[in-house]
Amino acid sequence: MDAIEIAGGKPLHGEVKISGSKNATLPQIAASLLAPGTSIFRGVPELADIRTLGRLLVHMGARVDREGGTLRVDASAVAKPEATYELVKTMRASVLVLGPLVTRFGRARVSLPGGCAIGARPIDQHLKGLEALGAKIELSHGYVEAKADRLRGATILFDLPTVTGTENLMMAAALADGRSILENCAREPEVIALAEALNAMGGRIAGAGTSVITIDGVDALRPMDVEVIPDRIEAGTLLMAAMITGGDVLVRGAKADHLDAAIAKLREAGAKITPESDGLRVIAPQKPTAVDFITAPFPGFPTDLQAQLMACLSVAKGASRVVETVFENRFMHVQELSRMGADIAIDGHTAVVRGVTRLSGAPVMATDLRASASLVLAGLRAEGTTTVQRVYHLDRGYEALEAKLQALGANIRRVKA
Ligand code: EPZ
């Protein structure tokens, strides 16, 4: 198992280009199941999760080829519309194949994802929506068995905004008979990107990005050819890497309108952030100022940047109050940050972060994707050497992060643990 070793204390300088978005690519690849023929995805990041979904589609009988940043998926012949537990347990986003399989092939057998490190993460909203569209859903032996002759348009009201729930039902409704109206939808940029991809396939979707999405089902879709959008969470992570080191960095590819809430909080904490021709430039203060923040569905502060901003605030002037409202167990980075000298007290969904004058390097353990990113950020600031173990968590969602940070002047390398 690889580890990442960081000798901290160097402010980051220079420019870095972010990769394509993991959370936009995954649903778009799943959407390729909706049409016979070969879909093309350009600017696809080299990530473990993308490889996992590719393996799942091959297992079903699709053809998947990668050449550099371009991925091709031929979903003409999908012999086995099923996703096994072995594959789904390593990546819960596999549940995104459920909607496409049911609506194109009339049946699907997908393992229930089970919980994960950050929370129970049920898929009840996905299943409730598919039933509303006329699918027969049975749960047996840890699998969802879904059947439908042809899905029928319906109105679906989500109990809460769910990103992959919105995406799954958008894909299912795209080939349903008649109009579907989805209410209380997630509004993330990745949902908009999926709707644009489905419309490029011949779908008729309106309203993505708002909480009400209307889908007029069609009889057939054609393959897509799309460029994936930049990864806003990687962009936010790199802005925060500059913040925690007191650096000056141009994050190329970062789009301000994907990061309003994060930019507002970083400015409140003393960062100077200016849009430049092809990205965002951040000039950070030597020490951040404490800020309170609360995570929420888009356009609120993204839960996927909570751990990274908390790392920055662990060396701020003053105390910050962090409230995590999206997942029930997303503070696992706290005990690791505390081992590096951070002063953080957790009370349920709230963490109080009292800024300390310095962090000290230590061996720490990654527990989930974004927690591992926050430990890398803390290592960039800490005095001495930090070794982040189990970086396979990091490799799920960040393409060559240590190379990107090295290019910005960080003293960081990957080692065989
Ligand atoms: C997506 O997960 C992202 N993953 C997550 O990113 C992200 O943290 C999350 O959205 C929130 O923004 C992908 O897009 C592949 P949700 P998703 O359904 O769709 C509850 C990362 O780091 N819920 O929006 O699984 C759920 O438990 C990952 O890249 C139900 O109760 O998240 C959670 O509390 C981590 N029932 C809340 O809704 C359901 O049927 C939001 O979850 C579905 C969700």
Side-chain angles (χ1 to χ4, degrees):
M1 265 192 262
D2 291 358
I4 284 188
E5 203 173 77
I6 306 153
K10 292 184 66 180
L12 300 187
H13 283 95
E15 63 176 69
V16 62
K17 178 143 179 39
I18 58 174
S19 303
S21 162
K22 165 177 87 79
N23 289 349
T25 307
L26 292 172
Q28 288 177 344
I29 292 175
S32 65
L33 290 168
L34 291 166
T38 299
S39 287
I40 302 173
F41 306 91
R42 303 175 194 280
V44 175
E46 184 59 67
L47 298 173
D49 275 8
I50 306 284
R51 289 192 293 275
T52 301
L53 187 56
R55 274 201 305 278
L56 172 54
L57 266 57
V58 167
H59 168 83
M60 289 180 194
R63 268 181 55 77
V64 178
D65 301 295
R66 178 161 196 148
E67 205 181 311
T70 301
L71 193 73
R72 285 177 172 76
V73 178
D74 179 352
S76 306
V78 170
K80 268 196 311 187
E82 72 163 44
T84 61
Y85 177 61
E86 286 60 42
L87 275 163
V88 174
K89 73 180 176 190
T90 59
M91 187 191 62
R92 53 178 305 98
S94 313
V95 76
L96 283 165
V97 304
L98 190 54
L101 290 176
V102 176
T103 202
R104 175 158 172 231
F105 300 102
R107 64 191 178 87
R109 183 170 182 273
V110 175
S111 166
L112 282 164
C116 87
I118 61 178
R121 301 180 74 182
I123 59 167
D124 56 301
Q125 300 296 306
H126 302 236
L127 302 181
K128 185 182 97 169
L130 286 172
E131 282 181 323
L133 294 174
K136 218 172 127 7
I137 303 279
E138 267 172 46
L139 301 184
S140 66
H141 309 297
Y143 278 78
V144 176
E145 313 261 354
K147 285 193 181 58
D149 297 333
R150 182 169 184 198
L151 294 180
R152 285 183 320 283
T155 295
I156 295 163
L157 171 63
F158 289 110
D159 296 352
L160 76 174
T162 152
V163 176
T164 49
T166 302
E167 292 166 344
N168 231 338
L169 272 305
M170 231 174 18
M171 293 188 280
L175 286 176
D177 180 11
R179 169 167 284 196
S180 297
I181 299 175
L182 310 184
E183 296 174 340
N184 199 16
C185 294
R187 298 169 50 193
E188 272 70 2
E190 294 76 29
V191 172
I192 299 174
L194 178 62
E196 287 170 354
L198 290 170
N199 286 338
M201 297 174 82
R204 293 168 57 202
I205 294 171
T210 74
S211 56
V212 179
I213 298 177
T214 304
I215 303 116
D216 287 316
V218 296
D219 294 338
L221 291 167
R222 55 181 180 272
M224 73 182 92
D225 182 338
V226 290
E227 175 87 30
V228 302
I229 60 171
D231 192 316
R232 65 190 168 95
I233 302 303
E234 184 191 27
T237 304
L238 290 165
L239 289 172
M240 290 173 190
M243 184 70 170
I244 197 167
T245 58
D248 175 351
V249 172
L250 170 63
V251 180
R252 290 184 45 231
K255 291 162 71 80
D257 59 345
H258 284 184
L259 284 164
D260 283 338
I263 291 169
K265 282 299 162 188
L266 286 169
R267 283 178 173 149
E268 218 183 302
K272 203 161 146 308
I273 298 183
T274 43
E276 303 235 333
S277 54
D278 64 345
L280 290 171
R281 183 173 176 194
V282 52
I283 300 175
Q286 212 290 321
K287 269 180 91 62
T289 304
V291 292
D292 297 342
F293 72 98
I294 180 168
T295 66
F298 194 89
F301 188 92
T303 174
D304 291 351
L305 287 174
Q306 176 257 108
Q308 298 92 311
L309 184 54
M310 187 187 280
C312 296
L313 298 174
S314 71
V315 290
K317 290 190 291 288
S320 307
R321 206 166 157 277
V322 179
V323 184
E324 170 57 61
T325 69
V326 178
F327 290 111
E328 60 267 33
N329 185 30
R330 209 170 195 180
F331 283 149
M332 282 177 300
H333 42 287
V334 168
Q335 60 262 39
E336 296 304 300
L337 291 173
S338 305
R339 297 188 57 245
M340 298 175 71
D343 176 356
I344 306 171
I346 298 177
D347 174 10
H349 289 265
T350 301
V352 176
V353 184
R354 289 184 186 80
V356 293
T357 38
R358 68 178 63 79
L359 294 175
S360 59
V364 288
M365 187 77 79
T367 50
D368 62 87
L369 169 55
R370 306 305 175 180
S372 44
S374 90
L375 298 178
V376 169
L377 264 51
L380 292 172
R381 175 78 184 220
E383 289 172 5
T385 301
T386 298
T387 308
V388 182
Q389 292 158 12
R390 296 191 183 171
V391 287
Y392 59 84
H393 289 292
L394 201 70
D395 296 338
R396 294 191 50 174
Y398 289 96
E399 184 179 40
L401 183 63
E402 72 275 13
K404 287 172 178 161
L405 293 169
Q406 236 162 36
L408 292 171
N411 190 336
I412 180 172
R413 67 195 180 108
R414 183 176 286 254
V415 294
K416 289 282 169 223

